[in-house]
Amino acid sequence: MKMTEETHKNAETSEITMEDVQNLIKKKDEIEEQIKAYYDVLEDQGVGVADPLVDAEGYPRADVNLYQIRTARHSISCLQNDHKAIMEEIEEALHKLHAREKAKREEDEAGAREEAMEHQDTLPLPFAQVDAVTQGSPASGAGLRVGDEVIEFGSVNTGNFQNLQNIASVVQHSEGKPLRVTVIRDGQKAQMSLTPQRWSGRGLLGCNIVPIQR
């Protein structure tokens, strides 16, 4: 089956790896070393890439190795073309690699957003909110924070909550026994164990919970 130009382009982009780029850079370094070696040959002969190889009378110079110089100059010219080509290849490979990484990052971010939205959709509606927590209280020790939205408090949950008396009743009957409390905090579920008990302050919890009006 014939691939479309776009499919072929995408396939090429997905095939490029950082290892490919590193191999290209290695080849570039090798070419640069070869160019330097040929420049060293010219330097040993005392000529540059453009110095004349004939004397004042137009005869080939006898003070230098003409074959070595011509070979070095030709090799430098070819290698410089190779160097230019591989630099373009490296640039294109990096561009493809960055494009793929950007596409993957955008895909991951979109997936994370979608997952977060799905997660939010599945969270039960909170029925109460914590609007005060006293330092050193059982509530503070359990990790309850101001702003936490309650979706479960012992046996009380979104489905059976009627009023704050439900929570007060559970607290009174659970003195000294751990209660499972589940809240929504920063869009995420947080669960903790809260044991109603006597402490230096008022009540058995040391926090204030208010119902959420719908």
Side-chain angles (χ1 to χ4, degrees):
M1 190 174 71
K2 210 172 182 183
M3 282 203 302
T4 63
E5 190 180 334
E6 186 63 31
T7 309
H8 183 66
K9 186 181 173 187
N10 289 341
E12 277 186 349
T13 303
S14 63
E15 285 166 9
I16 292 293
T17 65
M18 184 49 82
E19 190 180 351
D20 294 331
V21 175
Q22 286 168 346
N23 287 335
L24 287 171
I25 290 171
K26 190 179 175 186
K27 283 182 190 173
K28 173 193 76 81
D29 292 342
E30 286 169 0
I31 291 171
E32 287 172 354
E33 282 179 21
Q34 289 175 318
I35 291 172
K36 183 182 181 302
Y38 284 118
Y39 269 115
D40 289 343
V41 169
L42 295 181
E43 194 176 331
D44 288 343
Q45 294 292 325
V47 297
V49 288
D51 291 337
L53 298 181
V54 293
D55 59 22
E57 296 174 6
Y59 293 103
R61 286 173 58 177
D63 61 326
V64 293
N65 186 323
L66 296 175
Y67 175 76
Q68 270 193 356
I69 292 169
R70 287 196 181 107
T71 301
R73 284 179 173 178
H74 176 71
S75 298
I76 286 170
S77 177
C78 292
L79 286 166
Q80 282 176 335
N81 287 335
D82 292 346
H83 187 267
K84 183 183 177 186
I86 205 161
M87 287 300 288
E88 287 173 359
E89 209 174 331
I90 289 170
E91 189 178 346
E92 188 181 354
L94 284 170
H95 177 72
K96 285 179 179 177
L97 196 64
H98 290 154
R100 189 188 67 186
E101 286 175 354
K102 185 184 177 188
K104 186 178 182 303
R105 191 166 60 246
E106 286 173 353
E107 191 180 322
D108 289 347
E109 285 171 359
R113 280 196 300 270
E114 193 176 324
E115 193 179 325
M117 284 173 72
E118 283 175 6
H119 182 64
Q120 281 180 345
D121 290 342
T122 57
L123 287 173
L125 285 171
F127 57 83
Q129 187 172 35
V130 179
D131 72 348
V133 177
T134 307
Q135 279 294 107
S137 66
S140 175
L144 214 56
R145 296 183 195 167
V146 172
D148 283 350
E149 296 180 322
V150 184
I151 55 176
E152 183 184 22
F153 197 104
S155 59
V156 182
N157 55 47
T158 303
N160 62 22
F161 174 78
Q162 293 172 323
N163 52 50
L164 288 179
Q165 188 55 44
N166 300 143
I167 294 176
S169 179
V170 168
V171 171
Q172 292 299 328
H173 289 95
S174 304
E175 185 173 350
K177 298 173 191 171
L179 289 171
R180 186 168 73 173
V181 178
T182 308
V183 301
I184 298 173
R185 180 184 296 162
D186 300 325
Q188 302 286 327
K189 247 188 200 182
Q191 212 169 70
M192 60 209 72
S193 178
L194 171 56
T195 304
Q197 57 192 353
R198 302 287 169 189
W199 61 292
S200 59
R202 290 175 55 196
L204 299 175
L205 298 180
C207 69
N208 194 48
I209 298 173
V210 294
I212 292 176
Q213 301 299 329
R214 296 286 170 209

